[in-house]
Amino acid sequence: MTPSKLYLERLEKVKKTIALENDRPTTCYMGTSTPAAHMGVTMAEFANNPDVNLDVSLGYINEINKITPIDCLNTGAGGIKINVGLTMTWLSRIKMPGRELPENSIWQVEEKKVMEVEDYDLVIEKGYDALVQKILPKVIDPAEVQEYMNYVQENGERNAKRVIENGYPSINSLSSAPPFEMLCGARSMTNFFMDCYKMPDKVKAAIEAMLPKAIDILITSTKQANGMGTWIGGWRGASAMVAPKIWDELVWPSMYEMGKACLENGIVPTFHLDQNWDRDIERFKEFPAKSIIINTDGMTDLRNARKVLGDHAAFMGDVPPQLLATGTPEQVKDYVKRLLDDIGPQGVFITAGCDAPANAKFENMVAMFEAANEWR
Amino acid sequence: MGAIAQMLARLEDENLLAEVRKQLDEGVDPLAIFKECQEGMVEVGDKFSSGEYFVSDLMMAGSIFKQVNEMVTPLLGEEKAEKVGKVVMGTVKGDIHDIGKDLVVALLNAANFEVVDLGVDVKPEAFVEALKANPDAKVVGLSCLLTTCYDAMKETVEAIAEAGLRDKVKIMIGGGSLDQSVVDYAGADKFGMDAQAAVTIAKEWM
């Protein structure tokens, strides 16, 4: 398959943006749940059927793209079964629309302890696989995982080609979570945060035991998908969430090692950072200049990040979900314009903060990209 | 600040629990111990507000406070600390997230509020019923992590208004991504960016 000229031009723009060599802002789609309502399908069908997920997502993205161009996609255009990926990422059960939740509800993480304190020893002695094998059946039917793996095996390449045929480069082909996030999901947040105070050495040893396999999966899977990059997620390990000692010893080291491994393997790490990371944003200088993307959700101060990091890293963000859901197109345009006025276009991907919500207004999604495309 | 309050403020759980046991054995008034713990929690809240402490610290402090509370409360008998006020709390319909809500409940309890915790996925009519059953509640706290549940917050505020109770309570909202625009959308009175802010707001409204 020979990619179209448009695809190649967009791909070049993405690469230039990561290297902070672009002169215009780059528009980037991120809205895992957003297409369903606008395209008239139930959330249950959208979230549970990978083919519907891909068709509907591409239809939605193309509808916006006809009005104002979308240069790239943050994490592809669907073709996924939502709960499988999220469960593997967080080791938590995901309640799904049409199953445990009403058919038009958004999927939700069930916050429940599925890992006991003694399981830290299991991880330390036997590693990542032993933990996952023990925990996974508690949070998802293994048959469902296998069924989805078979689907990806049979259709993954076809789905990736469809996205390329539609003219969109995808920056990230995988979402990965550092061990801190996985343990937090499995222990549940309250228990895990207490563990971080009461038995930090044990938590640290477990994280270190999990890290090599977590990195191996990250690199192998991204390479298998011929991906340009991968997400390294930071949700509960955000600076605003944890004390500096916890962040320094239990969050950052594995995030850093995962990012470093990506770069050593020619993979661009996108640090998907929910919540506020202002306190520690300077630490991203530890990566080589112009090699990483920092993907924030509106709570991290990108103006401050620009001051601190200068032209060291690309930014992806950060139109707040609540603005996309409740604001007007004028308010959305104003937000994007002010952001670009303040931080400039170099190395900037304009997209929804975290993930555009299911109830983002279509006109607001259009306004977000129009504002970027029309900027100066 | 006494030793107990200082230990709580420094999140020294084991030292603190040992000290509480020691003081109880020595016959110290349980109410005095409880009040000192509250003093410690105020210090924790101040440290959070000033940026010295973070969410994990609040959770740790809440956990320690809860353990002390469980030791001390059975010993209080009739002699209980006077409550600051009553708050009806819940995560709104369609949203099952409980971490933020639970943290707010813990901090309100520590600040000596009586909290009617309705749990998660709470229908508007359940908030109305709780307010009818607790006419002395002056504050309603609506927790909502999902942007898709803004409508549920709005419906809850409308249901409270339709029941003729809107002018009897102030309504605060909190959760994930929200700001003044969501307050306006839902028809609430104020939002809190974090759990400690909920305590500050509730105190303002007493």
Side-chain angles (χ1 to χ4, degrees), chain A residues 176-243:
Chain A
S176 70
F180 181 92
E181 301 286 346
M182 297 180 78
L183 292 171
C184 191
R187 285 284 289 146
S188 83
M189 189 164 137
T190 307
N191 288 306
F192 183 65
F193 278 9
M194 296 309 103
D195 296 344
C196 292
Y197 286 90
K198 289 170 174 285
M199 51 180 90
D201 294 341
K202 188 155 272 193
V203 174
K204 189 175 182 181
I207 286 172
E208 287 171 354
M210 290 172 75
L211 187 59
K213 186 62 188 271
I215 288 175
D216 180 45
I217 292 172
L218 165 67
I219 301 301
T220 308
S221 304
T222 309
K223 283 185 171 175
Q224 277 172 355
N226 291 314
M228 179 194 312
T230 191
W231 264 22
I232 298 171
W235 297 276
R236 292 163 175 196
S239 308
M241 296 299 287
V242 297

Side-chain angles (χ1 to χ4, degrees), chain A residues 86-93 109-117 119-120 123 128 131-132 134-136 138-139 177-193 195 210 236:
Chain A
L86 292 180
T87 300
M88 306 284 279
T89 303
W90 289 325
L91 293 180
S92 295
R93 182 178 294 282
V109 178
E110 183 182 51
E111 189 69 25
K112 188 178 170 187
K113 182 183 74 172
V114 289
M115 173 184 164
E116 302 300 327
V117 168
D119 290 330
Y120 283 118
V123 185
Y128 180 103
L131 180 74
V132 172
K134 181 170 181 185
I135 300 299
L136 212 53
K138 295 183 185 181
V139 289
F180 181 92
E181 301 286 346
M182 297 180 78
L183 292 171
C184 191
R187 285 284 289 146
S188 83
M189 189 164 137
T190 307
N191 288 306
F192 183 65
F193 278 9
D195 296 344
M210 290 172 75
R236 292 163 175 196

Side-chain angles (χ1 to χ4, degrees), chain A residues 8-300:
Chain A
L8 293 171
E9 284 171 1
R10 285 173 165 173
L11 182 61
E12 187 60 21
K13 187 175 182 187
V14 167
K15 288 178 178 173
K16 282 189 169 178
T17 307
I18 296 167
L20 285 94
E21 292 168 358
N22 61 312
D23 49 16
R24 304 272 318 147
T26 297
T27 50
C28 178
Y29 179 83
M30 180 67 199
T32 317
S33 62
T34 323
H38 180 77
M39 301 299 284
V41 299
T42 66
M43 192 60 81
E45 203 179 358
F46 181 75
N48 287 302
N49 184 328
D51 287 330
V52 171
N53 188 271
L54 179 66
D55 287 344
V56 169
S57 297
L58 272 176
Y60 183 80
I61 294 164
N62 283 335
E63 199 174 323
I64 297 174
N65 184 61
K66 274 184 197 162
I67 301 168
T68 190
I70 293 176
D71 296 320
C72 63
L73 313 177
N74 187 344
T75 55
I80 53 176
K81 196 164 188 303
I82 298 290
N83 60 320
V84 177
L86 292 180
T87 300
M88 306 284 279
T89 303
W90 289 325
L91 293 180
S92 295
R93 182 178 294 282
I94 307 296
K95 290 194 170 185
M96 290 293 281
R99 204 158 67 186
E100 298 91 354
L101 297 171
E103 72 171 8
N104 276 315
S105 170
I106 185 76
W107 52 88
Q108 297 184 49
V109 178
E110 183 182 51
E111 189 69 25
K112 188 178 170 187
K113 182 183 74 172
V114 289
M115 173 184 164
E116 302 300 327
V117 168
E118 53 266 28
D119 290 330
Y120 283 118
D121 293 324
L122 175 76
V123 185
I124 293 163
E125 287 163 21
K126 297 187 176 170
Y128 180 103
D129 286 337
L131 180 74
V132 172
Q133 280 163 17
K134 181 170 181 185
I135 300 299
L136 212 53
K138 295 183 185 181
V139 289
I140 193 167
D141 181 353
E144 194 176 0
V145 177
Q146 190 56 52
E147 186 190 345
Y148 181 59
M149 294 300 171
N150 294 342
Y151 173 85
V152 173
Q153 190 77 25
E154 288 169 23
N155 302 288
E157 196 176 334
R158 179 203 67 174
N159 289 353
K161 277 182 184 169
R162 278 194 63 196
V163 177
I164 293 169
E165 282 164 5
N166 277 267
Y168 306 112
S170 300
I171 299 176
N172 296 295
S173 59
L174 188 78
S175 168
S176 70
F180 181 92
E181 301 286 346
M182 297 180 78
L183 292 171
C184 191
R187 285 284 289 146
S188 83
M189 189 164 137
T190 307
N191 288 306
F192 183 65
F193 278 9
M194 296 309 103
D195 296 344
C196 292
Y197 286 90
K198 289 170 174 285
M199 51 180 90
D201 294 341
K202 188 155 272 193
V203 174
K204 189 175 182 181
I207 286 172
E208 287 171 354
M210 290 172 75
L211 187 59
K213 186 62 188 271
I215 288 175
D216 180 45
I217 292 172
L218 165 67
I219 301 301
T220 308
S221 304
T222 309
K223 283 185 171 175
Q224 277 172 355
N226 291 314
M228 179 194 312
T230 191
W231 264 22
I232 298 171
W235 297 276
R236 292 163 175 196
S239 308
M241 296 299 287
V242 297
K245 188 176 166 59
I246 294 174
W247 196 89
D248 287 339
E249 294 186 9
L250 304 178
V251 176
W252 180 245
S254 52
M255 281 186 90
Y256 175 76
E257 288 301 325
M258 290 171 88
K260 186 164 149 263
C262 282
L263 293 171
E264 286 166 356
N265 284 276
I267 296 165
V268 177
T270 292
F271 291 93
H272 180 83
L273 308 179
D274 280 359
Q275 253 284 351
N276 185 313
W277 291 70
D278 290 347
R279 184 189 71 204
D280 302 299
I281 201 75
E282 191 170 14
R283 297 294 296 273
F284 288 91
K285 270 189 173 171
E286 292 173 23
F287 290 105
K290 302 175 182 179
S291 65
I292 65 167
I293 299 170
I294 295 175
N295 178 194
T296 56
D297 69 353
M299 296 182 84
T300 296

Side-chain angles (χ1 to χ4, degrees), chain A residues 321-332 361 363-364, chain B residues 181:
Chain A
Q322 69 270 24
L323 184 59
L324 294 169
T326 66
T328 63
E330 292 71 29
Q331 288 171 325
V332 172
K361 295 174 191 166
E363 60 269 28
N364 284 349
Chain B
S181 71

